[in-house]
Amino acid sequence: QKEVEQDPGPLSVPEGAIVSLNCTYSNSAFQYFMWYRQYSRKGPELLMYTYSSGNKEDGRFTAQVDKSSKYISLFIRDSQPSDSATYLCAMDRGSNYQLIWGAGTKLIIKP
Amino acid sequence: DADVTQTPRNRITKTGKRIMLECSQTKGHDRMYWYRQDPGLGLRLIYYSFDVKDINKGEISDGYSVSRQAQAKFSLSLESAIPNQTALYFCATSDPTGDYGYTFGSGTRLTIV
């Protein structure tokens, strides 16, 4: 079993919808949780990161961590076609060098 | 110029050939990484380096070697390429005193035939 599980999609939604992307994990030692966005033919770029449990909001994006359920989510409000990309979750015990990555979910926002 | 530059962007080579992928960065970060990305498997760490004199194996280092020529340069070599090394390769940098913002290059698409 992988340490981090992420549905590969693709997830296709109409423009303006609320999108929910999720990852589950098995290692309770993870403390830092990140979401990266990757456009086609580009490297991943950091969207948001959170430490431990709770919510974090940045514009249309909200990251949520539930350590008791070992479950993290990324919500995108008022989704736009420019949000179409692959979203990868990543997590770490605090070392900042051995990130464990989800496989990524491909998101398609239809105009 | 990009913060992290990888060359070449695309490469097709034959089984058994030696190939080098190069990475240079202008971020001033000490930490550099090489990852490969395969569909359905996510990013897997090949090698990482915390400074010029520090090289460490990652999750999947067999068949690969690296060289850290300077703080800004980190190259990955495939000594004798095999078809299952066909993948998208990324170089990344990070600042351990900052957030978890790894900066990635645009990747090298490597095909071994």
Side-chain angles (χ1 to χ4, degrees), chain B residues 69-88:
Chain B
Q69 300 95 327
Q71 185 205 39
K73 294 184 181 296
F74 193 35
S75 59
L76 175 74
S77 293
L78 286 68
E79 298 301 327
S80 179
I82 56 177
N84 74 1
Q85 291 177 312
T86 293
L88 191 53

Side-chain angles (χ1 to χ4, degrees), chain A residues 2 8 32 34 36 38 41-46 49 86 88 92-104, chain B residues 9-10 31 33 35 37 40-43 45 48 50 59 88 90 94-96 98-102 104-106 109:
Chain A
K2 295 180 182 177
Y32 293 85
M34 290 133 270
Y36 282 76
Q38 184 178 18
R41 296 298 282 134
K42 296 288 186 183
E45 57 179 342
L46 180 68
Y49 86 98
T86 296
L88 300 102
D92 184 50
R93 292 186 293 269
S95 63
N96 194 16
Y97 75 91
Q98 194 76 10
L99 296 187
I100 307 300
W101 296 81
Chain B
R9 285 298 310 274
N10 295 282
R31 294 187 175 188
Y33 312 81
Y35 283 93
Q37 187 175 39
L41 295 179
L43 288 160
L45 184 62
Y48 62 98
F50 283 177
E59 179 186 356
L88 191 53
F90 287 103
S94 76
D95 174 9
D99 61 24
Y100 276 73
Y102 278 34
F104 283 82
S106 293
R109 185 168 296 277

Side-chain angles (χ1 to χ4, degrees), chain A residues 25-36:
Chain A
Y25 63 95
S26 58
N27 190 341
S28 58
F30 290 141
Q31 296 279 5
Y32 293 85
F33 304 90
M34 290 133 270
W35 286 96
Y36 282 76

Side-chain angles (χ1 to χ4, degrees), chain B residues 5-77:
Chain B
T5 302
Q6 291 184 238
T7 55
R9 285 298 310 274
N10 295 282
R11 180 77 182 266
I12 301 174
T13 194
K14 293 184 177 181
T15 298
K17 294 290 189 181
R18 184 179 189 275
I19 183 167
M20 180 181 289
L21 309 183
E22 299 189 350
C23 176
S24 62
Q25 54 115 343
T26 58
K27 298 287 288 184
H29 290 165
D30 287 327
R31 294 187 175 188
M32 297 187 74
Y33 312 81
W34 275 104
Y35 283 93
R36 67 177 278 177
Q37 187 175 39
D38 300 274
L41 295 179
L43 288 160
R44 292 183 291 167
L45 184 62
I46 306 172
Y47 270 95
Y48 62 98
S49 170
F50 283 177
D51 64 39
V52 175
K53 296 180 181 179
D54 178 77
I55 303 289
N56 303 280
K57 293 182 177 181
E59 179 186 356
I60 53 162
S61 59
D62 287 349
Y64 302 94
S65 63
V66 291
S67 174
R68 185 82 184 265
Q69 300 95 327
Q71 185 205 39
K73 294 184 181 296
F74 193 35
S75 59
L76 175 74
S77 293

